[in-house]
Structures are given as structure tokens and as C-alpha cells.
Amino acid sequence: MEIKKVLNNNVVITENDNHQEMVVMGKGLAFQKKAGDPVESTKIEKTFILQNTGTSEKLDQLLKYTSEKYLDISSEILTYAQAKLPYKLDEYLYVALTDHISFAIARYQQGIDLKNNLLYEVRKYYKKEFEIGIHALEIIEKHTDIRLGEDEAGSIALHLVNSQISGENMEIAVQVTDMVNSILNIVKYYYQVELDERSINYERFVTHLRYFSMRFIRKEKSEDTVDEFLHEQVQRKYQEAYACTERINIYLKKNFSWSLSQDEKVYLTVHIHRVTYRQKKQL
């Protein structure tokens, strides 16, 4: 095997004998290496095959900001999940789950504890996925010595079911699309930037907005679980993003007679800050 692309010192993209693109991981595997160099088989610790070349591009982008240890954790979780679930997992989960775990650990270290508003529903309707999510917490703890709460198990479970959710009817799909696009436009207008639609942060934000919109359309009420201290902390720390969230709240009140709960304001603020922060730094 020869290296097609170096993602960092420990991760490369190569091809197997069937010409399938493959991620290969190992300590120092790519140190002082470049495309075209042979892969040192003695240093290979883990591999997984990619069917979509777009996934390797997203991994490349992600690993510029995120340690590959989170990719290693995700790979272990997804290997376990695939053995337990009757359906095939989307390979993009390697990217989405790595990003999610990295973000969850960062929030934990900053003392920001976000509750999962869908935890009850996930535990009730997606029992297998939730059990995998609980096991995933053990895998994360093994690698990081950090024990995340059940809310994160619910979030990991949602990543597993995301691509398996049955298609909604066209009317609902249109409503969701319209609401998501409107909120994205509010963010773009408020910050006066074009969001990078190829970025992982953008995709993560859009995924959150879809769940958010579906809860409204299905009349699923969100009960506040975030305490006042955390709400004030997020409001103070991310003032610009919180002000943008208030603009979204005005739009929802005017067009849908729907006021954001305190929980929803916190979640939106964190996501808006994340989707705009790195982009603004690059301007």
C-alpha cells in the first residue's frame, strides 16, 4: 500500500487491493511521509474502509482541529455498534461522531453541561441505540478518563439513528426545509458572512436545526432542563451568538407563534457560536 494523503502524523488515506479508499491509523505512521510513500505495515494499528471520497475530505478538515484520538474512539464505538445493529451504518458517522465526541469533551472540560431534550424519547424508542450509547460512554472513559453523562449517550444514539429515520411526507419535509433555511439566513444576515456549507460545523448546525424544526412541527414540547446559572453563563460567554438567537426567537414568534424555551436558546447559542467562530477567525 502507498499513501494517497497524509491527514496528520498518525493518520493517512490509502487504498486496499480492491482499490477501496481506506483510513489507516498508527503512532508515527506518517511522520516525515508524503503521498506516494509506502505505508509501513508494522506501524498499522487500525484501519477502516471508506466508500465515499467526500468522507476522507471531511476527515482531513476535521483532523486539522481535532485530535485523532477521537477518531480512534469513534472507530471503536462504530465497530461495536455495527455488530449490534441490524442495519448498515453510514460511513460519515466516522466524521460526525468524532466531531461530536471532541465537542462533548471540550464542553465537559469547560464546565458546560448541556442536557439532551430528546433523552426520554431516545431511551424509549431507540433502545438498542441507547444501549450502544451507554457502552460508548465506557469506551470514551477508557480512552480519556472522563465519564460523560447519559445525555451524551442519547446524543450518540441519535447519530446512529439519524440516517435510518424513515422519510417524512413531502409537506413536512418542505416545512422543515423552509424553517431551517430561514434560520440559516438570519444567522448569515446577522453576522454578515456566508457560512461554509462544506464545513463540519455547518453540517452539525443544520442537523441540530432539523431536529429542532421537527420537534416544532410534531408539536413536541421542550421542557427546560438547563439551570439558570448555565443559561446566564452561556448568555455572558457568547453574547453575540445569544443576540442572534434572540433574532431567531422574534422570527419564530412572528411566523409560528412559537417562543424558544430556555434550553433551546442555550443549544442554539452554542451551535451558532461554533458555526461562526472559526469562520470569522479565518476572515
Side-chain angles (χ1 to χ4, degrees), residues 156 193 211 233 271 276:
I156 291 169
V193 295
Y211 281 124
Q233 185 183 29
H271 277 285
T276 58

Side-chain angles (χ1 to χ4, degrees), residues 10-267:
N10 306 310
V11 186
V12 302
I13 301 295
T14 184
E15 281 187 355
N16 62 17
D17 294 337
N18 296 321
H19 302 292
Q20 293 172 302
E21 198 165 56
M22 195 164 61
V23 175
V24 180
M25 303 169 65
K27 188 173 182 180
L29 183 71
F31 180 66
Q32 294 185 335
K33 300 288 186 180
K34 61 183 183 302
D37 288 344
V39 177
E40 295 183 55
S41 58
T42 56
K43 292 186 176 181
I44 296 175
E45 298 174 6
K46 185 167 292 189
T47 67
F48 53 90
I49 295 171
L50 300 176
Q51 303 294 337
N52 187 342
T53 55
T55 304
S56 66
E57 292 172 4
K58 288 290 179 13
L59 277 175
D60 187 10
Q61 182 186 65
L62 177 63
L63 291 178
K64 290 176 181 176
Y65 303 101
T66 305
S67 168
E68 74 274 358
K69 75 177 179 180
Y70 298 117
L71 177 59
D72 195 26
I73 292 170
S74 296
S75 177
E76 186 172 340
I77 292 170
L78 293 176
T79 298
Y80 176 83
Q82 190 63 85
K84 296 290 183 179
L85 295 171
Y87 52 80
K88 182 175 173 57
L89 295 172
D90 186 340
E91 68 180 29
Y92 184 71
L93 283 173
Y94 285 112
V95 177
L97 194 56
T98 299
D99 182 50
H100 176 85
I101 292 170
S102 170
F103 190 33
I105 294 294
R107 281 192 283 103
Y108 176 90
Q109 292 170 334
Q110 294 168 12
I112 297 175
D113 181 23
L114 294 182
K115 298 299 180 182
N116 186 337
N117 289 336
L118 298 176
L119 183 61
Y120 174 79
E121 289 83 357
V122 171
R123 188 187 282 119
K124 181 177 180 180
Y125 296 115
Y126 302 114
K127 293 180 181 179
K128 283 185 179 179
E129 288 83 358
F130 184 70
E131 288 171 3
I132 292 168
I134 292 294
H135 183 73
L137 299 185
E138 297 174 9
I139 293 174
I140 293 168
E141 184 177 19
K142 178 180 71 175
H143 287 272
T144 66
D145 292 325
I146 290 174
R147 180 70 182 195
L148 300 175
E150 284 195 356
D151 291 281
E152 289 302 332
S155 296
I156 291 169
L158 279 176
H159 277 289
L160 297 176
V161 302
N162 187 33
S163 61
Q164 296 298 315
I165 295 174
S166 59
E168 300 288 339
N169 65 54
M170 184 57 68
E171 183 181 353
I172 290 178
V174 169
Q175 285 181 287
V176 169
T177 301
D178 182 58
M179 184 175 287
V180 169
N181 286 340
S182 295
I183 293 174
L184 286 172
N185 285 333
I186 290 170
V187 175
K188 292 176 188 178
Y189 180 79
Y190 183 84
Y191 281 89
Q192 292 293 294
V193 295
E194 281 297 321
L195 301 177
D196 182 2
E197 296 183 6
R198 300 165 300 173
S199 74
I200 295 162
N201 288 331
Y202 180 87
E203 292 185 10
R204 181 179 176 84
F205 184 42
V206 169
T207 297
H208 176 77
L209 291 180
R210 285 180 185 141
Y211 281 124
F212 172 80
S213 301
M214 287 300 301
R215 288 202 302 275
F216 165 72
I217 290 167
R218 290 171 173 169
K219 309 302 181 187
E220 297 171 354
K221 290 189 176 181
S222 173
E223 295 183 5
D224 282 327
T225 56
V226 172
D227 60 41
E228 188 60 36
F229 173 77
L230 178 57
H231 176 254
E232 291 175 358
Q233 185 183 29
V234 169
Q235 184 177 2
R236 183 174 59 255
K237 187 171 184 178
Y238 307 128
Q239 293 181 22
E240 192 172 14
Y242 191 86
C244 184
T245 296
E246 290 292 3
R247 293 279 183 91
I248 294 169
N249 195 30
I250 291 170
Y251 157 76
L252 293 171
K253 283 181 181 178
K254 181 178 178 180
N255 292 276
F256 301 99
S257 300
W258 179 26
S259 296
L260 292 173
S261 68
Q262 189 161 282
D263 273 22
E264 287 162 340
K265 287 183 179 181
V266 168
Y267 276 92

